[in-house]
Amino acid sequence: MNPAITSSTPLLACLASLAAVLPILLLRKSPNLRESATFVAGFIKFGLVVSMLPTILGGTQIEYTLWQILPNLSIAFRVDGLGMLFGLVASSLWILTSLYTIGYMRGLKEHSQTRFVAFFAVSLSATIGVAFSANLFTLYLFYEMLSLATYPLVTHHQDKEARTGGRTYLSYLLSTSIGFVLPAMIFVFLKTGSSMEFAEGGFLAGHVSGKEALILLLLFTFGFAKSGLMPFHSWLPAAMVAPTPVSALLHAVAVVKVGVFCVIRVFTGVFGLEFLKTMDIATIIAWAAAFTIVVSSLIALTQDNLKRRLAFSTIGQLSYIILGVALLSDRAVIGSMAHIAMHAVGKITLFMCAGAIFVASGKKYISQMDGLGKKMPITFAAFTIGSLSVIGLPPTGGLISKFYLVTGAMDAGQTALLIVFLVSTMLNAAYLLPIGYRAFFPKDPELARQPFSWKNTEEASLPCVLPLCITAGLALVLFIKPQFLLNLAGLMVGHGG
Amino acid sequence: MTEQAPILILLFPFLTAIFVALLGAKVPAASWPLTIASLGASICATLTTLIQVLENGTIRYYVGGWAPPFGIELRIDGLNALVAVTVATVAFLGAIYSKDRVESETENKGPQYYALYLLLAAGLLGIVITGDAFNLYVLLEIAALTSYALLAMGNKRATLAAFKYLIMGTIGASFYLLGVGYLYIKTGSLNMVDIQEQLIANGLQDSSTVQVAFIMITVGLWVKMAFFPLHAWLPNSYAFGPTTSSSIMAPLVTKVMIYVMVRMVLTVFGPVYAFEVLDWGNIVVWLAVIAILAGSIGALAQKDLRKMLTFLIIAEVGYMVGGVWLVDETGMTGAIYHIISDAFMTLCVFLFAGIVFAKTGARDIYAVDGLFKKMPITMIGFIVGAFSLIGIPPTAGFFSKWYLIQGGINSGNWEYVIALLISSLVNAVLFFRIIEIAYFGKKPAEGHIHHHGDDHTKISEAPITQLIPLLGTAAIILLIGIFNKDLVAVIQDFLEPFNLVAGIR
Amino acid sequence: MVAIEALADKFNYWVYIVIMMIGLYAMVSKNNLIKKLIGMSVFQTAIILFYVSIGYKDEATIPILYHDQVHGAHHAEEGDHSDEGAHHDETHAMEAIAKEATHHGNDHAVDADHAEVDEHEADHVIDAHVMHNESDHAFEAGHGGLDIDPNQFENPLVHVLMLTAIVVGVATLGVGLAITQKLYGEFGTIEEHEIIEQLRTGND
């Protein structure tokens, strides 16, 4: 057991954005003040998270028990390496997304911006809550909160399409969490009689039989449907009706990552890797993930709507993370955790670019983007960097996590799954790279002959473009300096990476 | 004064009812303040009693100083102290809501309405605190008769429904009375605790007379609580009665009947008899499963908002009957906890339905069209109630399910667990359908709407006398969710002597 | 023969059940609302009959104590507190009758097979009640000082209960009739199917 100190910082970090809801609502009459409230909360939140980083890297965990809600069971927070990693990703990207939101929402003159910003803040609280949960119960609580708080965001347009999308979104997420996770959690609670605190090496070993363990594992893995594992993935493309900032932060970072985060938590904190190894039940999950990777990549190839293509790409990438952890080898698990961050940075860049393209040119379909790179060079440059990161090519952070995943697969001796990684990487390249390439080197000779000039560029406004440049930059930085992420992930498997 | 608290619980509403009936003809305006004052006083009395019970254990109050088993005894332990507080609070909140609505829904009948309302509250409170089986029957009928009258005040459909309810209610109560008669034959006593002592002392466990008594009492109560398939009277009467009447009856009547069932099973017959000698627990759990599913399916088929909610009551009754017959301490805890939480949840959604009806005059679920913009505060109250019925933490409804599902798993009744989960999902569908309509409007635009800046749709909230009870209920739902540990501690203290953990079955 | 004996022995049960079923039939299947209410009254009367019959004892009389039966014994013993004492004794005498009067011949379940078992149980009950009241010294003293035999009196308690039940029944009938009247005012008929027909055709 790691040494731990008690501090209310995790709680405060979680509440920082929730507390911002009130000023946001009060300041609804003046958008500038309202946005500054968001930023203040964002920086406070990020500051609180970062302030815990040295302690965590030093191998100490931070605990805080808020309220004992049931006999034996409390709402409690604990920050460890994995939680820290996810918390960092989510809180830092929130600031950038908030900036981006201003550009996007005002650019399109969207309605009900106050509601949007307020629920955005609530969602972030839920995300950090998930990241810092100390036990399964707290995790579930914030997981549900996130599903509900994001519903108004997904359905923001309040039109027919949004209604259909919102229906799919909620019905998938709620039915799986109530139908699968809740009974599984209660069963675990009954079997172990414990407080369900996540522990290194899990707490389930010795309490359940092999068959029960398998059923529980399936219920948990598929129940956290936010991870987009097939066949419970349809909500993700459906949720793309949301305004792009939502897609960017929530559906490339917060919501989906909460899904895989929960799965990793269950694997490492509830079952424990050793227990899973002895039971030999994770293989079925690994194959489900492998199936998802290949199929979603193939579907992505056929999509013309940029956001939908990105959505299917996300489904595949999420399954990388699940596959990594299901391989049960230390390196693969580290790779999984690192991939949370790497993919987040890459994918948010792509989504922001998609939004920026829509704001500036009104174009949603890839086939319309021929030669657009000449009008929006910065955006498409960032898009290309993001693509590289998602595919896992140098010089981007994506390479690092992929490297760990692939070597992890070799450690685990799963040659077949290794091939899945390689094939899917090629598929990734096939559906992402042509977008950037065609934008700069259009097929149409007419367009190709047009000379490039900075004067002709029609970029989106600065609040739109700046954040995506920063995230693209981050993707590059993470290639050079991935060590602290790997250290955080390494804490979870018992050594420093 | 405090030692008289148990009887005061009952006397406040009862005497005020008479007073309101007499005074009402002359000063109708005084009815409402009097009602509120007496129910408020009743809440204080229940709280005092609850505190006494928590400090000193069970209270035995001899009415008129006549000692049991012959005098009537009010016997208050942890279980009915909690239920009494719930009943008094719900009645109080419902009375606040009635203020504006009574005149518009039941014209010129204000004083009569309040007199009946108070009598109903007195009857229900009496059922909860009495320790005498025959006395319970009389109070049962007081509550029932006032209910018929309160419902018949509604529109045409409600009048017919009230008549059907009267027939069914009388059958139910008569069965109960017969059962008590059989018990009396065997034990020579009408005092609940005394009956239990006689049953044990005389080894009457195998007596077929007692068996008949048990079956008759249980079936009678099932009719009264609308346990599927004996539920036919419920949907129309609660859906078409005045919203004021249904806001007290829907939350309380069925729940109080479930309390009576728990009391009969635990205190009168004793768990050993109810669960072991008469081994039909599994059948009852299956019946409960059917009730839950039938209620949920029935609710799905409804377009009328309140009628949909009435089918949910039927499903919830299934939850609790099933929870009791799981024969597991956690399941029983869940059932009892659910009596309390469901009373408030039901109140919350029925108040919402009443407010919507008051605002729009429409009954169907499309009446909520665009309400998020028009009545944001009302919607917040409703969402809390809806989330609780779906079972989303940290509302009270989540924790009821938490305990009930645990009970189901503990006792190996997986069919019950699955039924609960299905019903939760159905509730999610039902309520999100409403939330969707309230959020998107009846016909959302095909395309993408771009309003310029934030809209300024006119907010027109419900009057404060309707908002206060709604938000109060919502707050209570959250509070009993967050503080469920303390509530459950009281319930488990009460259950401890029954030793259900040992797994009788 | 055993069956017939059992039938004859417990004819009061059979009678009440038959009457009750007649009432139930009318309540459930009659179309006319007034007939339903009549059925309800029959139904309730059956229950009253049941209760009263279980208080019956062969060759017993109405449970009214004569003045000397109660007071005679007491004046000697208690002097000053005679009023209070008498009050107590009266109660306890009544109680004694109520308790013991419930048995003897009428306490069997509908199920004839258990007749013997029940007889056995009945004895137990009486024993138990004596034991139950042993701690109650006032009762013992009072009982000892009284010149009464519970078997001479019918059980008064059931009559008291039924007085209450009759009141309840009358009240229910009253409400039922009032509702019927309201229905007649609204629909112009008291035939249920006609009312439902009117509701269905939607002149709500």
mmCIF file of all heavy atoms in Angstrom, chain B residues 272-306:
data_model
loop_
_atom_site.group_PDB
_atom_site.id
_atom_site.type_symbol
_atom_site.label_atom_id
_atom_site.label_comp_id
_atom_site.label_asym_id
_atom_site.label_seq_id
_atom_site.Cartn_x
_atom_site.Cartn_y
_atom_site.Cartn_z
ATOM 1 N N VAL B 272 -41.281 -15.637 11.598
ATOM 2 C CA VAL B 272 -41.147 -17.090 11.531
ATOM 3 C C VAL B 272 -42.421 -17.693 10.952
ATOM 4 O O VAL B 272 -42.384 -18.566 10.089
ATOM 5 C CB VAL B 272 -40.874 -17.679 12.929
ATOM 6 C CG1 VAL B 272 -40.822 -19.189 12.864
ATOM 7 C CG2 VAL B 272 -39.594 -17.108 13.475
ATOM 8 N N TYR B 273 -43.546 -17.174 11.443
ATOM 9 C CA TYR B 273 -44.809 -17.698 10.922
ATOM 10 C C TYR B 273 -45.000 -17.305 9.461
ATOM 11 O O TYR B 273 -45.243 -18.152 8.594
ATOM 12 C CB TYR B 273 -45.988 -17.179 11.748
ATOM 13 C CG TYR B 273 -47.283 -17.738 11.234
ATOM 14 C CD1 TYR B 273 -47.672 -19.024 11.595
ATOM 15 C CD2 TYR B 273 -48.078 -17.033 10.346
ATOM 16 C CE1 TYR B 273 -48.829 -19.577 11.094
ATOM 17 C CE2 TYR B 273 -49.239 -17.587 9.842
ATOM 18 C CZ TYR B 273 -49.610 -18.859 10.221
ATOM 19 O OH TYR B 273 -50.742 -19.413 9.722
ATOM 20 N N ALA B 274 -44.842 -15.997 9.199
ATOM 21 C CA ALA B 274 -45.178 -15.488 7.869
ATOM 22 C C ALA B 274 -44.288 -16.091 6.795
ATOM 23 O O ALA B 274 -44.727 -16.313 5.673
ATOM 24 C CB ALA B 274 -45.071 -13.970 7.854
ATOM 25 N N PHE B 275 -43.044 -16.348 7.132
ATOM 26 C CA PHE B 275 -42.114 -16.774 6.092
ATOM 27 C C PHE B 275 -41.781 -18.255 6.148
ATOM 28 O O PHE B 275 -41.404 -18.848 5.158
ATOM 29 C CB PHE B 275 -40.817 -15.974 6.186
ATOM 30 C CG PHE B 275 -41.026 -14.498 6.016
ATOM 31 C CD1 PHE B 275 -40.417 -13.606 6.865
ATOM 32 C CD2 PHE B 275 -41.838 -14.021 5.008
ATOM 33 C CE1 PHE B 275 -40.615 -12.243 6.707
ATOM 34 C CE2 PHE B 275 -42.041 -12.666 4.844
ATOM 35 C CZ PHE B 275 -41.427 -11.776 5.702
ATOM 36 N N GLU B 276 -41.882 -18.823 7.329
ATOM 37 C CA GLU B 276 -41.398 -20.198 7.436
ATOM 38 C C GLU B 276 -42.545 -21.182 7.428
ATOM 39 O O GLU B 276 -42.590 -22.110 6.621
ATOM 40 C CB GLU B 276 -40.583 -20.353 8.721
ATOM 41 C CG GLU B 276 -39.755 -21.617 8.724
ATOM 42 C CD GLU B 276 -38.943 -21.701 9.986
ATOM 43 O OE1 GLU B 276 -39.557 -21.619 11.066
ATOM 44 O OE2 GLU B 276 -37.723 -21.829 9.886
ATOM 45 N N VAL B 277 -43.498 -20.958 8.327
ATOM 46 C CA VAL B 277 -44.597 -21.911 8.417
ATOM 47 C C VAL B 277 -45.407 -21.890 7.131
ATOM 48 O O VAL B 277 -45.748 -22.925 6.574
ATOM 49 C CB VAL B 277 -45.489 -21.561 9.624
ATOM 50 C CG1 VAL B 277 -46.635 -22.535 9.705
ATOM 51 C CG2 VAL B 277 -44.663 -21.573 10.890
ATOM 52 N N LEU B 278 -45.666 -20.659 6.695
ATOM 53 C CA LEU B 278 -46.454 -20.523 5.482
ATOM 54 C C LEU B 278 -45.476 -20.221 4.360
ATOM 55 O O LEU B 278 -45.218 -19.090 4.056
ATOM 56 C CB LEU B 278 -47.431 -19.367 5.680
ATOM 57 C CG LEU B 278 -48.730 -19.458 4.926
ATOM 58 C CD1 LEU B 278 -49.496 -20.657 5.402
ATOM 59 C CD2 LEU B 278 -49.544 -18.209 5.164
ATOM 60 N N ASP B 279 -44.961 -21.215 3.738
ATOM 61 C CA ASP B 279 -43.840 -20.987 2.830
ATOM 62 C C ASP B 279 -44.342 -20.653 1.431
ATOM 63 O O ASP B 279 -44.331 -21.479 0.534
ATOM 64 C CB ASP B 279 -42.944 -22.225 2.804
ATOM 65 C CG ASP B 279 -41.689 -21.928 2.021
ATOM 66 O OD1 ASP B 279 -41.394 -20.740 1.817
ATOM 67 O OD2 ASP B 279 -41.021 -22.881 1.607
ATOM 68 N N TRP B 280 -44.802 -19.443 1.287
ATOM 69 C CA TRP B 280 -45.230 -19.036 -0.056
ATOM 70 C C TRP B 280 -44.473 -17.792 -0.502
ATOM 71 O O TRP B 280 -44.864 -17.103 -1.414
ATOM 72 C CB TRP B 280 -46.751 -18.822 -0.117
ATOM 73 C CG TRP B 280 -47.253 -17.742 0.802
ATOM 74 C CD1 TRP B 280 -46.568 -17.183 1.835
ATOM 75 C CD2 TRP B 280 -48.513 -17.078 0.773
ATOM 76 N NE1 TRP B 280 -47.318 -16.234 2.449
ATOM 77 C CE2 TRP B 280 -48.526 -16.152 1.824
ATOM 78 C CE3 TRP B 280 -49.642 -17.187 -0.032
ATOM 79 C CZ2 TRP B 280 -49.618 -15.327 2.083
ATOM 80 C CZ3 TRP B 280 -50.716 -16.366 0.234
ATOM 81 C CH2 TRP B 280 -50.710 -15.456 1.277
ATOM 82 N N GLY B 281 -43.341 -17.547 0.190
ATOM 83 C CA GLY B 281 -42.558 -16.357 -0.113
ATOM 84 C C GLY B 281 -42.172 -16.267 -1.577
ATOM 85 O O GLY B 281 -42.291 -15.210 -2.197
ATOM 86 N N ASN B 282 -41.751 -17.400 -2.130
ATOM 87 C CA ASN B 282 -41.296 -17.355 -3.516
ATOM 88 C C ASN B 282 -42.410 -16.974 -4.467
ATOM 89 O O ASN B 282 -42.203 -16.237 -5.421
ATOM 90 C CB ASN B 282 -40.743 -18.729 -3.906
ATOM 91 C CG ASN B 282 -39.243 -18.698 -3.872
ATOM 92 O OD1 ASN B 282 -38.649 -17.670 -4.190
ATOM 93 N ND2 ASN B 282 -38.629 -19.784 -3.476
ATOM 94 N N ILE B 283 -43.603 -17.497 -4.173
ATOM 95 C CA ILE B 283 -44.744 -17.173 -5.035
ATOM 96 C C ILE B 283 -45.026 -15.680 -4.960
ATOM 97 O O ILE B 283 -45.260 -15.028 -5.975
ATOM 98 C CB ILE B 283 -45.990 -17.968 -4.594
ATOM 99 C CG1 ILE B 283 -45.660 -19.455 -4.632
ATOM 100 C CG2 ILE B 283 -47.174 -17.647 -5.470
ATOM 101 C CD1 ILE B 283 -46.680 -20.320 -3.952
ATOM 102 N N VAL B 284 -44.962 -15.138 -3.746
ATOM 103 C CA VAL B 284 -45.261 -13.720 -3.594
ATOM 104 C C VAL B 284 -44.216 -12.883 -4.326
ATOM 105 O O VAL B 284 -44.554 -11.890 -4.969
ATOM 106 C CB VAL B 284 -45.344 -13.328 -2.105
ATOM 107 C CG1 VAL B 284 -45.633 -11.851 -1.974
ATOM 108 C CG2 VAL B 284 -46.404 -14.125 -1.414
ATOM 109 N N VAL B 285 -42.955 -13.302 -4.240
ATOM 110 C CA VAL B 285 -41.932 -12.537 -4.950
ATOM 111 C C VAL B 285 -42.201 -12.571 -6.448
ATOM 112 O O VAL B 285 -42.088 -11.554 -7.135
ATOM 113 C CB VAL B 285 -40.526 -13.075 -4.629
ATOM 114 C CG1 VAL B 285 -39.492 -12.394 -5.497
ATOM 115 C CG2 VAL B 285 -40.196 -12.854 -3.173
ATOM 116 N N TRP B 286 -42.616 -13.718 -6.944
ATOM 117 C CA TRP B 286 -42.945 -13.780 -8.375
ATOM 118 C C TRP B 286 -44.126 -12.888 -8.706
ATOM 119 O O TRP B 286 -44.147 -12.219 -9.742
ATOM 120 C CB TRP B 286 -43.233 -15.220 -8.805
ATOM 121 C CG TRP B 286 -41.975 -15.933 -9.192
ATOM 122 C CD1 TRP B 286 -41.305 -16.882 -8.485
ATOM 123 C CD2 TRP B 286 -41.217 -15.723 -10.403
ATOM 124 N NE1 TRP B 286 -40.179 -17.271 -9.157
ATOM 125 C CE2 TRP B 286 -40.098 -16.593 -10.336
ATOM 126 C CE3 TRP B 286 -41.369 -14.883 -11.514
ATOM 127 C CZ2 TRP B 286 -39.153 -16.640 -11.347
ATOM 128 C CZ3 TRP B 286 -40.411 -14.939 -12.516
ATOM 129 C CH2 TRP B 286 -39.320 -15.809 -12.426
ATOM 130 N N LEU B 287 -45.131 -12.886 -7.807
ATOM 131 C CA LEU B 287 -46.259 -11.980 -8.022
ATOM 132 C C LEU B 287 -45.776 -10.536 -8.068
ATOM 133 O O LEU B 287 -46.231 -9.734 -8.898
ATOM 134 C CB LEU B 287 -47.287 -12.131 -6.894
ATOM 135 C CG LEU B 287 -48.218 -13.336 -6.955
ATOM 136 C CD1 LEU B 287 -49.095 -13.383 -5.717
ATOM 137 C CD2 LEU B 287 -49.080 -13.261 -8.207
ATOM 138 N N ALA B 288 -44.853 -10.226 -7.165
ATOM 139 C CA ALA B 288 -44.317 -8.862 -7.134
ATOM 140 C C ALA B 288 -43.600 -8.553 -8.444
ATOM 141 O O ALA B 288 -43.723 -7.450 -8.984
ATOM 142 C CB ALA B 288 -43.359 -8.697 -5.956
ATOM 143 N N VAL B 289 -42.855 -9.537 -8.948
ATOM 144 C CA VAL B 289 -42.155 -9.338 -10.215
ATOM 145 C C VAL B 289 -43.165 -9.019 -11.307
ATOM 146 O O VAL B 289 -42.995 -8.078 -12.090
ATOM 147 C CB VAL B 289 -41.342 -10.597 -10.575
ATOM 148 C CG1 VAL B 289 -40.878 -10.545 -12.013
ATOM 149 C CG2 VAL B 289 -40.167 -10.730 -9.638
ATOM 150 N N ILE B 290 -44.255 -9.798 -11.326
ATOM 151 C CA ILE B 290 -45.285 -9.555 -12.333
ATOM 152 C C ILE B 290 -45.881 -8.167 -12.142
ATOM 153 O O ILE B 290 -46.106 -7.430 -13.110
ATOM 154 C CB ILE B 290 -46.377 -10.639 -12.248
ATOM 155 C CG1 ILE B 290 -45.762 -11.990 -12.600
ATOM 156 C CG2 ILE B 290 -47.530 -10.317 -13.174
ATOM 157 C CD1 ILE B 290 -46.649 -13.159 -12.302
ATOM 158 N N ALA B 291 -46.105 -7.795 -10.878
ATOM 159 C CA ALA B 291 -46.677 -6.471 -10.602
ATOM 160 C C ALA B 291 -45.753 -5.378 -11.120
ATOM 161 O O ALA B 291 -46.199 -4.403 -11.740
ATOM 162 C CB ALA B 291 -46.910 -6.298 -9.105
ATOM 163 N N ILE B 292 -44.462 -5.537 -10.863
ATOM 164 C CA ILE B 292 -43.502 -4.512 -11.294
ATOM 165 C C ILE B 292 -43.528 -4.381 -12.812
ATOM 166 O O ILE B 292 -43.618 -3.280 -13.363
ATOM 167 C CB ILE B 292 -42.084 -4.871 -10.803
ATOM 168 C CG1 ILE B 292 -42.017 -4.831 -9.280
ATOM 169 C CG2 ILE B 292 -41.055 -3.940 -11.396
ATOM 170 C CD1 ILE B 292 -40.747 -5.388 -8.705
ATOM 171 N N LEU B 293 -43.469 -5.538 -13.472
ATOM 172 C CA LEU B 293 -43.416 -5.488 -14.934
ATOM 173 C C LEU B 293 -44.734 -4.969 -15.502
ATOM 174 O O LEU B 293 -44.740 -4.137 -16.418
ATOM 175 C CB LEU B 293 -43.102 -6.876 -15.490
ATOM 176 C CG LEU B 293 -41.727 -7.407 -15.073
ATOM 177 C CD1 LEU B 293 -41.488 -8.783 -15.657
ATOM 178 C CD2 LEU B 293 -40.627 -6.457 -15.519
ATOM 179 N N ALA B 294 -45.859 -5.437 -14.934
ATOM 180 C CA ALA B 294 -47.155 -5.005 -15.451
ATOM 181 C C ALA B 294 -47.325 -3.508 -15.247
ATOM 182 O O ALA B 294 -47.796 -2.799 -16.152
ATOM 183 C CB ALA B 294 -48.276 -5.762 -14.755
ATOM 184 N N GLY B 295 -46.935 -3.017 -14.067
ATOM 185 C CA GLY B 295 -47.038 -1.582 -13.806
ATOM 186 C C GLY B 295 -46.203 -0.798 -14.799
ATOM 187 O O GLY B 295 -46.643 0.204 -15.359
ATOM 188 N N SER B 296 -44.993 -1.286 -15.057
ATOM 189 C CA SER B 296 -44.108 -0.557 -15.963
ATOM 190 C C SER B 296 -44.669 -0.547 -17.375
ATOM 191 O O SER B 296 -44.670 0.480 -18.050
ATOM 192 C CB SER B 296 -42.724 -1.219 -15.972
ATOM 193 O OG SER B 296 -42.176 -1.171 -14.694
ATOM 194 N N ILE B 297 -45.151 -1.705 -17.817
ATOM 195 C CA ILE B 297 -45.688 -1.774 -19.177
ATOM 196 C C ILE B 297 -46.931 -0.899 -19.274
ATOM 197 O O ILE B 297 -47.110 -0.153 -20.242
ATOM 198 C CB ILE B 297 -46.015 -3.233 -19.544
ATOM 199 C CG1 ILE B 297 -44.711 -4.021 -19.640
ATOM 200 C CG2 ILE B 297 -46.778 -3.303 -20.856
ATOM 201 C CD1 ILE B 297 -44.892 -5.511 -19.679
ATOM 202 N N GLY B 298 -47.774 -0.974 -18.233
ATOM 203 C CA GLY B 298 -48.974 -0.146 -18.224
ATOM 204 C C GLY B 298 -48.613 1.327 -18.339
ATOM 205 O O GLY B 298 -49.245 2.078 -19.073
ATOM 206 N N ALA B 299 -47.568 1.728 -17.617
ATOM 207 C CA ALA B 299 -47.167 3.130 -17.640
ATOM 208 C C ALA B 299 -46.704 3.539 -19.032
ATOM 209 O O ALA B 299 -46.983 4.641 -19.497
ATOM 210 C CB ALA B 299 -46.066 3.375 -16.620
ATOM 211 N N LEU B 300 -46.009 2.627 -19.685
ATOM 212 C CA LEU B 300 -45.490 2.947 -21.020
ATOM 213 C C LEU B 300 -46.622 3.240 -22.000
ATOM 214 O O LEU B 300 -46.455 4.010 -22.935
ATOM 215 C CB LEU B 300 -44.683 1.759 -21.553
ATOM 216 C CG LEU B 300 -43.213 1.713 -21.191
ATOM 217 C CD1 LEU B 300 -42.598 0.452 -21.738
ATOM 218 C CD2 LEU B 300 -42.492 2.922 -21.751
ATOM 219 N N ALA B 301 -47.763 2.605 -21.769
ATOM 220 C CA ALA B 301 -48.853 2.720 -22.729
ATOM 221 C C ALA B 301 -49.651 4.006 -22.552
ATOM 222 O O ALA B 301 -50.519 4.287 -23.362
ATOM 223 C CB ALA B 301 -49.771 1.508 -22.597
ATOM 224 N N GLN B 302 -49.376 4.779 -21.494
ATOM 225 C CA GLN B 302 -50.233 5.911 -21.193
ATOM 226 C C GLN B 302 -49.769 7.194 -21.862
ATOM 227 O O GLN B 302 -48.579 7.451 -21.967
ATOM 228 C CB GLN B 302 -50.296 6.148 -19.679
ATOM 229 C CG GLN B 302 -50.795 4.971 -18.903
ATOM 230 C CD GLN B 302 -52.130 4.477 -19.385
ATOM 231 O OE1 GLN B 302 -53.009 5.269 -19.702
ATOM 232 N NE2 GLN B 302 -52.289 3.167 -19.478
ATOM 233 N N LYS B 303 -50.769 7.974 -22.263
ATOM 234 C CA LYS B 303 -50.456 9.295 -22.796
ATOM 235 C C LYS B 303 -50.831 10.373 -21.774
ATOM 236 O O LYS B 303 -50.409 11.512 -21.877
ATOM 237 C CB LYS B 303 -51.243 9.555 -24.077
ATOM 238 C CG LYS B 303 -50.682 8.838 -25.284
ATOM 239 C CD LYS B 303 -49.737 9.738 -26.073
ATOM 240 C CE LYS B 303 -49.096 9.027 -27.246
ATOM 241 N NZ LYS B 303 -47.945 8.209 -26.840
ATOM 242 N N ASP B 304 -51.659 9.965 -20.826
ATOM 243 C CA ASP B 304 -52.104 10.898 -19.802
ATOM 244 C C ASP B 304 -51.060 10.921 -18.686
ATOM 245 O O ASP B 304 -50.687 9.866 -18.160
ATOM 246 C CB ASP B 304 -53.457 10.419 -19.271
ATOM 247 C CG ASP B 304 -54.034 11.354 -18.228
ATOM 248 O OD1 ASP B 304 -53.348 11.649 -17.228
ATOM 249 O OD2 ASP B 304 -55.174 11.777 -18.398
ATOM 250 N N LEU B 305 -50.604 12.113 -18.348
ATOM 251 C CA LEU B 305 -49.472 12.218 -17.422
ATOM 252 C C LEU B 305 -49.768 11.559 -16.080
ATOM 253 O O LEU B 305 -49.008 10.713 -15.593
ATOM 254 C CB LEU B 305 -49.124 13.697 -17.221
ATOM 255 C CG LEU B 305 -48.012 14.010 -16.229
ATOM 256 C CD1 LEU B 305 -46.732 13.322 -16.628
ATOM 257 C CD2 LEU B 305 -47.773 15.507 -16.164
ATOM 258 N N ARG B 306 -50.924 11.924 -15.489
ATOM 259 C CA ARG B 306 -51.171 11.384 -14.159
ATOM 260 C C ARG B 306 -51.484 9.895 -14.209
ATOM 261 O O ARG B 306 -51.139 9.151 -13.300
ATOM 262 C CB ARG B 306 -52.331 12.150 -13.502
ATOM 263 C CG ARG B 306 -51.829 13.324 -12.666
ATOM 264 C CD ARG B 306 -52.807 13.669 -11.601
ATOM 265 N NE ARG B 306 -53.971 14.331 -12.175
ATOM 266 C CZ ARG B 306 -55.123 14.451 -11.518
ATOM 267 N NH1 ARG B 306 -55.249 13.948 -10.313
ATOM 268 N NH2 ARG B 306 -56.131 15.061 -12.078
#
